[in-house]
Amino acid sequence: MLNGSGPESVVPTTPVALVEAAYVKLAERVGIARARLGRPLTFAEKVLVAHADDPRTVGFDRGVDYADYRPDRVAMQDATAQMALLQFMLAGLATVAVPSTVHCDHLIQARVGAEADMRVALDINSEVYEFLRSVSSRYGIGFWKAGSGIIHQVVLENYAFPGGMMIGTDSHTPNAGGLGMVAIGVGGADAVDVMAGWPFNTRVPKLIGVRLTGALSGWTAAKDVILKVAGILTVKGGTGAIVEYFGPGAESISATGKATVCNMGAEIGATCSVFSYDLQTAKYLRATGREALADLADRYAEHLRNDPEVDADPERFYDRVIEINLSELEPHLVGPHTPDLDRPIAEVRAEAEREGYPLRISSALVGSCTNSSYEDIGRAAHIARQAKAKGLRVQTPLMITPGSEQVRATIERDGLLADLEAIGATVLANACGPCIGQWQRDDMPAGKNTIVTSFNRNFPARNDGNKDTLAFIGSPETVVGMAIFGELDDRFTREFEPPVADDLPSRGFDRGEFGFETPAADPTSVDIAVAPGSDRLELLAPFPAWDGHDMRGLRVLLKAKGKCTTDHVSPAGPWLKYRGHLTNISQNLFLGAVNAFAPGEPGQGVDARDGSTKSLPDLARAYKEADIQWLAIGDENYGEGSSREHAAMEPRYMNGRAVLARSFARIAEANLKKQGLLPLTFADPADYEKVRADDAVDVIGLDSLAPGSHLRVVLTHADGSTDEFAANHTMSDEHIEWFVAGSALNLLASRQ
Ligand code: MIC
Ligand code: SF4
């Protein structure tokens, strides 16, 4: 039961009493941690210890210890909530143990515009929405219906609070770090643990400090801070770390701007990113109707920021410190194909000409959870007004997705949407839309084409399913400026005045149509509908327990070459409709992956039995049907990107047993463990080269699997010769229990 109360306590905000209790604990525990460590603390360290299951024994060894935390909240979006809740149902509990919410945002396809697209979405997704609504109602979960906005904006507006801790089944959950929350993206199985009353277990993060000096001004936006950081740290540079922003420059960034920075920390693999509590945070809390929380945070302010010694000498406290002078920062543009390919916009034209990127922009898109705030739209609208005054219109389609119904209603009331529409923009539903490939692009150009977005991800085929689309990412004003002249060029910075806009509406927010539904007063009255034979939803069956033996004779399904993100393992776009149906969605397994054994088109594999080429999902299914187990070989940062646990459940369901990679992204590795697969890394990354298409692979040493133990991998090649090398793992005692039980869920269910 939710902190001892009933479904009526499930409200569309974080209750003051919950925050107050969290602050009392915070104040007490900061003292405990200072005493244990014998030194001052960073803000993130304070929040972590305040949420430790036991502050007296919790490990502090960064990057080494695993620790149990008790988050204040859980948030889930519709595309991942389906699997999370199907698993939660198997746990056999009456209600969630921690305040939790579901947000319907990913399943709305963008085609013509907000109203028509919403109508279609409500129709084609009705079965899934009804399932999510009924499960939420039954188990005491707050439900935000389609149209209310993108999960991270809705959380920022209603639930996030400084010094809190949250997990969310989406990799951009760290958005709430803009309000000072340690908010971590996880797979559904992690959310299930917490909703079932168990702690959230994760490795104690390292700490990267980003010291901001100067002030944002002119064309430079909060987005440019994170684009710059992505260029410095690269897509794996933040792995296993919390990125903490501090220093005198932080106050020049609005709360929603801070959220943009934290949001896109997901693109550098960070566990999360966080800003301390400051005047901007307080202003945002007040503007979003949470004056009482701001008053409370003012009272506890000393605990909601770094100890002064940390600010004075950050090198002593952080594993790495990066300095950024905001006054010198220029607007940036990253891409194509990876969010860390960074350059100032002043250099983009020359680089595009050199690299052969089409200069002409075929579409421009503003929005997504990372850049859809009132301020973002206001800055974009300011450029639009200048363009209109000069008689200019966009030279390319420009689409705008407001982040939430509250933002949409407010920007409509304040005329900002009209400013954008006046130069030719189309307004889409308050949802993820094209950011997740929910974009029916009727004007798809033939061959290579360039798009610019204010989103956060730009993996090949991500937005429109077309691998020939080159996606570049910049701030909303950069995107609109480029759309007006239709080219990858910084000309707009010379033709227009820099954007000026309010960060918050002077007339207050207009809530628009309120999209929150409380759970049923009598949960037992709620039927959960999963129609037999449905192609959208399927009840889960437990995965088999470990058979107690080493893995012998595994086939190599593929050897991924280069980037293998979760979008490569389990693509989104049209596949999103099967997110609640494991059998159906498994037909997309590795469709985006480039296989070293079958180069050319992605998603192809070689059947080791006869050398024939098959699509990877067909090959996996053929192996499963023949009772053949297999493993996947990965390159660096395997599983980068999304939190979707389908990327782990599908291989498990299709008879995969292990993934052996050069390195892993954090959530992907955790998801594999949760689903009973073995994530292994090459002790010597060069051994990757030894793996051949027709190898039989043994993984030896499982009987003595223990934290820190080494495993041996033996490759028996088709010619009878062998290669043998060491593999590492990061399995803790608990992870080993999951592996033995067959999955974390099996273990959880056995404990109820
Ligand atoms: C994304 O941005 O890739 C997503 C879609 O929001 C994912 C979640 C999902 O795949 O459903 C994420 O970032 O975790
Ligand atoms: Fe939605 Fe895109 Fe944000 Fe993911 S990154 S939550 S798809 S808007």
mmCIF file of all heavy atoms in Angstrom, residues 35 39 55 83 91 137 163 192 212 228 238 278 305 365-367 389 410 490 511 550 595 602 614 631 709 714:
data_model
loop_
_atom_site.group_PDB
_atom_site.id
_atom_site.type_symbol
_atom_site.label_atom_id
_atom_site.label_comp_id
_atom_site.label_asym_id
_atom_site.label_seq_id
_atom_site.Cartn_x
_atom_site.Cartn_y
_atom_site.Cartn_z
ATOM 1 N N ALA A 35 30.241 11.683 8.141
ATOM 2 C CA ALA A 35 31.037 11.026 9.183
ATOM 3 C C ALA A 35 31.697 9.768 8.625
ATOM 4 O O ALA A 35 32.883 9.510 8.859
ATOM 5 C CB ALA A 35 30.147 10.685 10.377
ATOM 6 N N ARG A 39 34.557 13.510 4.964
ATOM 7 C CA ARG A 39 34.772 14.647 4.060
ATOM 8 C C ARG A 39 33.426 15.260 3.667
ATOM 9 O O ARG A 39 32.379 14.636 3.858
ATOM 10 C CB ARG A 39 35.530 14.201 2.807
ATOM 11 C CG ARG A 39 34.803 13.142 1.984
ATOM 12 C CD ARG A 39 35.374 13.047 0.585
ATOM 13 N NE ARG A 39 34.788 11.955 -0.175
ATOM 14 C CZ ARG A 39 33.611 11.992 -0.776
ATOM 15 N NH1 ARG A 39 32.832 13.064 -0.667
ATOM 16 N NH2 ARG A 39 33.174 10.956 -1.469
ATOM 17 N N PRO A 55 21.738 3.638 5.298
ATOM 18 C CA PRO A 55 22.834 4.608 5.132
ATOM 19 C C PRO A 55 24.099 4.223 5.912
ATOM 20 O O PRO A 55 25.173 4.720 5.618
ATOM 21 C CB PRO A 55 22.231 5.902 5.690
ATOM 22 C CG PRO A 55 21.148 5.465 6.619
ATOM 23 C CD PRO A 55 20.616 4.186 6.063
ATOM 24 N N MET A 83 5.221 -3.950 -21.029
ATOM 25 C CA MET A 83 6.013 -5.104 -20.581
ATOM 26 C C MET A 83 6.252 -5.039 -19.073
ATOM 27 O O MET A 83 6.227 -6.056 -18.385
ATOM 28 C CB MET A 83 7.336 -5.083 -21.327
ATOM 29 C CG MET A 83 7.833 -6.344 -21.952
ATOM 30 S SD MET A 83 6.696 -7.667 -22.287
ATOM 31 C CE MET A 83 6.931 -7.886 -24.033
ATOM 32 N N ALA A 91 4.002 -10.882 -10.579
ATOM 33 C CA ALA A 91 4.526 -10.858 -9.210
ATOM 34 C C ALA A 91 3.432 -11.128 -8.178
ATOM 35 O O ALA A 91 3.720 -11.409 -7.015
ATOM 36 C CB ALA A 91 5.203 -9.518 -8.923
ATOM 37 N N SER A 137 -5.473 1.325 -12.820
ATOM 38 C CA SER A 137 -6.602 1.458 -11.914
ATOM 39 C C SER A 137 -6.596 0.343 -10.863
ATOM 40 O O SER A 137 -6.877 0.563 -9.690
ATOM 41 C CB SER A 137 -7.876 1.409 -12.756
ATOM 42 O OG SER A 137 -8.983 1.674 -11.964
ATOM 43 N N GLY A 163 16.228 17.051 -4.679
ATOM 44 C CA GLY A 163 16.647 16.118 -3.642
ATOM 45 C C GLY A 163 15.899 14.804 -3.665
ATOM 46 O O GLY A 163 16.158 13.926 -2.855
ATOM 47 N N VAL A 192 9.636 -2.974 -11.800
ATOM 48 C CA VAL A 192 8.801 -3.985 -11.142
ATOM 49 C C VAL A 192 9.323 -4.249 -9.721
ATOM 50 O O VAL A 192 8.550 -4.301 -8.768
ATOM 51 C CB VAL A 192 8.756 -5.283 -11.981
ATOM 52 C CG1 VAL A 192 8.080 -6.402 -11.206
ATOM 53 C CG2 VAL A 192 8.030 -5.027 -13.301
ATOM 54 N N LEU A 212 30.238 25.215 -14.431
ATOM 55 C CA LEU A 212 29.783 26.218 -15.382
ATOM 56 C C LEU A 212 30.131 27.608 -14.873
ATOM 57 O O LEU A 212 29.820 27.957 -13.730
ATOM 58 C CB LEU A 212 28.263 26.111 -15.568
ATOM 59 C CG LEU A 212 27.754 24.752 -16.054
ATOM 60 C CD1 LEU A 212 26.228 24.724 -16.043
ATOM 61 C CD2 LEU A 212 28.277 24.423 -17.453
ATOM 62 N N LYS A 228 27.878 20.282 -26.399
ATOM 63 C CA LYS A 228 29.319 20.455 -26.163
ATOM 64 C C LYS A 228 29.843 19.319 -25.267
ATOM 65 O O LYS A 228 30.874 18.709 -25.550
ATOM 66 C CB LYS A 228 29.531 21.820 -25.494
ATOM 67 C CG LYS A 228 30.919 22.106 -25.023
ATOM 68 C CD LYS A 228 31.767 22.607 -26.155
ATOM 69 C CE LYS A 228 33.207 22.828 -25.689
ATOM 70 N NZ LYS A 228 34.104 22.978 -26.821
ATOM 71 N N GLY A 238 30.057 8.881 -20.319
ATOM 72 C CA GLY A 238 29.363 9.093 -19.054
ATOM 73 C C GLY A 238 28.926 7.784 -18.413
ATOM 74 O O GLY A 238 28.261 7.799 -17.363
ATOM 75 N N ASP A 278 18.371 25.948 -6.956
ATOM 76 C CA ASP A 278 18.720 27.371 -6.972
ATOM 77 C C ASP A 278 17.465 28.214 -7.242
ATOM 78 O O ASP A 278 16.341 27.672 -7.256
ATOM 79 C CB ASP A 278 19.849 27.659 -7.979
ATOM 80 C CG ASP A 278 19.444 27.423 -9.434
ATOM 81 O OD1 ASP A 278 18.238 27.257 -9.714
ATOM 82 O OD2 ASP A 278 20.337 27.401 -10.298
ATOM 83 N N ARG A 305 22.435 21.225 -2.322
ATOM 84 C CA ARG A 305 23.535 21.644 -3.195
ATOM 85 C C ARG A 305 24.842 21.071 -2.641
ATOM 86 O O ARG A 305 24.866 20.474 -1.568
ATOM 87 C CB ARG A 305 23.592 23.161 -3.297
ATOM 88 C CG ARG A 305 23.706 23.864 -1.969
ATOM 89 C CD ARG A 305 23.888 25.372 -2.160
ATOM 90 N NE ARG A 305 23.872 26.043 -0.876
ATOM 91 C CZ ARG A 305 22.889 26.848 -0.463
ATOM 92 N NH1 ARG A 305 21.855 27.107 -1.228
ATOM 93 N NH2 ARG A 305 22.956 27.410 0.727
ATOM 94 N N LEU A 365 12.390 19.676 -37.348
ATOM 95 C CA LEU A 365 11.452 19.264 -36.303
ATOM 96 C C LEU A 365 11.876 19.831 -34.954
ATOM 97 O O LEU A 365 13.031 19.680 -34.549
ATOM 98 C CB LEU A 365 11.399 17.734 -36.221
ATOM 99 C CG LEU A 365 11.028 17.057 -37.550
ATOM 100 C CD1 LEU A 365 12.219 16.318 -38.132
ATOM 101 C CD2 LEU A 365 9.878 16.112 -37.368
ATOM 102 N N VAL A 366 10.923 20.456 -34.278
ATOM 103 C CA VAL A 366 11.192 21.017 -32.952
ATOM 104 C C VAL A 366 10.311 20.286 -31.947
ATOM 105 O O VAL A 366 9.123 20.088 -32.201
ATOM 106 C CB VAL A 366 10.867 22.526 -32.906
ATOM 107 C CG1 VAL A 366 10.895 23.055 -31.479
ATOM 108 C CG2 VAL A 366 11.866 23.299 -33.758
ATOM 109 N N GLY A 367 10.904 19.893 -30.837
ATOM 110 C CA GLY A 367 10.102 19.251 -29.792
ATOM 111 C C GLY A 367 10.874 18.123 -29.156
ATOM 112 O O GLY A 367 12.085 18.196 -29.011
ATOM 113 N N ALA A 389 8.288 39.273 -40.297
ATOM 114 C CA ALA A 389 8.447 40.706 -40.541
ATOM 115 C C ALA A 389 9.245 40.966 -41.819
ATOM 116 O O ALA A 389 9.081 41.990 -42.480
ATOM 117 C CB ALA A 389 9.125 41.355 -39.343
ATOM 118 N N THR A 410 -0.709 26.772 -23.193
ATOM 119 C CA THR A 410 -0.143 28.078 -22.844
ATOM 120 C C THR A 410 0.463 28.765 -24.070
ATOM 121 O O THR A 410 0.275 29.961 -24.280
ATOM 122 C CB THR A 410 0.902 27.925 -21.710
ATOM 123 O OG1 THR A 410 0.338 27.100 -20.688
ATOM 124 C CG2 THR A 410 1.290 29.263 -21.122
ATOM 125 N N ASP A 490 24.751 28.726 -40.984
ATOM 126 C CA ASP A 490 24.447 29.595 -39.840
ATOM 127 C C ASP A 490 24.040 31.008 -40.277
ATOM 128 O O ASP A 490 24.076 31.945 -39.475
ATOM 129 C CB ASP A 490 25.636 29.664 -38.877
ATOM 130 C CG ASP A 490 26.818 30.382 -39.487
ATOM 131 O OD1 ASP A 490 26.852 30.540 -40.727
ATOM 132 O OD2 ASP A 490 27.715 30.786 -38.725
ATOM 133 N N ARG A 511 -3.537 25.079 -17.865
ATOM 134 C CA ARG A 511 -3.399 23.622 -17.775
ATOM 135 C C ARG A 511 -3.962 22.873 -18.977
ATOM 136 O O ARG A 511 -3.655 21.714 -19.212
ATOM 137 C CB ARG A 511 -4.104 23.115 -16.508
ATOM 138 C CG ARG A 511 -3.105 22.814 -15.411
ATOM 139 C CD ARG A 511 -3.593 21.681 -14.508
ATOM 140 N NE ARG A 511 -2.565 21.363 -13.518
ATOM 141 C CZ ARG A 511 -1.810 20.282 -13.580
ATOM 142 N NH1 ARG A 511 -1.933 19.427 -14.553
ATOM 143 N NH2 ARG A 511 -0.923 20.050 -12.639
ATOM 144 N N ASP A 550 27.587 -25.539 -17.680
ATOM 145 C CA ASP A 550 28.238 -24.568 -18.561
ATOM 146 C C ASP A 550 27.473 -24.516 -19.876
ATOM 147 O O ASP A 550 26.778 -25.475 -20.240
ATOM 148 C CB ASP A 550 29.684 -25.011 -18.845
ATOM 149 C CG ASP A 550 30.608 -24.713 -17.665
ATOM 150 O OD1 ASP A 550 30.267 -23.818 -16.867
ATOM 151 O OD2 ASP A 550 31.653 -25.384 -17.555
ATOM 152 N N ASN A 595 25.896 -6.870 -39.238
ATOM 153 C CA ASN A 595 26.542 -8.118 -38.842
ATOM 154 C C ASN A 595 27.832 -8.295 -39.627
ATOM 155 O O ASN A 595 27.815 -8.297 -40.864
ATOM 156 C CB ASN A 595 25.558 -9.273 -39.136
ATOM 157 C CG ASN A 595 26.102 -10.619 -38.727
ATOM 158 O OD1 ASN A 595 27.213 -10.724 -38.192
ATOM 159 N ND2 ASN A 595 25.318 -11.664 -38.983
ATOM 160 N N PRO A 602 21.676 -4.322 -43.192
ATOM 161 C CA PRO A 602 21.606 -4.697 -41.781
ATOM 162 C C PRO A 602 20.566 -5.806 -41.558
ATOM 163 O O PRO A 602 19.696 -6.022 -42.403
ATOM 164 C CB PRO A 602 21.145 -3.418 -41.080
ATOM 165 C CG PRO A 602 21.129 -2.342 -42.090
ATOM 166 C CD PRO A 602 21.224 -2.955 -43.449
ATOM 167 N N LYS A 614 19.975 -15.608 -43.791
ATOM 168 C CA LYS A 614 18.571 -15.422 -43.382
ATOM 169 C C LYS A 614 18.476 -14.087 -42.649
ATOM 170 O O LYS A 614 19.488 -13.573 -42.166
ATOM 171 C CB LYS A 614 18.153 -16.501 -42.383
ATOM 172 C CG LYS A 614 18.098 -17.917 -42.878
ATOM 173 C CD LYS A 614 17.483 -18.800 -41.782
ATOM 174 C CE LYS A 614 17.113 -20.179 -42.280
ATOM 175 N NZ LYS A 614 18.251 -21.038 -42.629
ATOM 176 N N LEU A 631 24.523 -17.193 -28.894
ATOM 177 C CA LEU A 631 24.911 -15.942 -28.240
ATOM 178 C C LEU A 631 25.105 -14.880 -29.312
ATOM 179 O O LEU A 631 25.182 -15.193 -30.509
ATOM 180 C CB LEU A 631 26.176 -16.108 -27.396
ATOM 181 C CG LEU A 631 27.560 -15.930 -28.019
ATOM 182 C CD1 LEU A 631 28.617 -15.910 -26.944
ATOM 183 C CD2 LEU A 631 27.876 -16.994 -29.040
ATOM 184 N N SER A 709 34.599 -13.307 -10.670
ATOM 185 C CA SER A 709 35.225 -14.528 -11.225
ATOM 186 C C SER A 709 35.429 -14.360 -12.732
ATOM 187 O O SER A 709 34.765 -13.552 -13.378
ATOM 188 C CB SER A 709 34.342 -15.751 -10.945
ATOM 189 O OG SER A 709 33.157 -15.692 -11.722
ATOM 190 N N VAL A 714 35.569 -20.780 -25.144
ATOM 191 C CA VAL A 714 36.291 -21.622 -26.102
ATOM 192 C C VAL A 714 35.521 -21.588 -27.426
ATOM 193 O O VAL A 714 34.323 -21.874 -27.470
ATOM 194 C CB VAL A 714 36.399 -23.082 -25.606
ATOM 195 C CG1 VAL A 714 37.176 -23.930 -26.611
ATOM 196 C CG2 VAL A 714 37.060 -23.122 -24.235
#
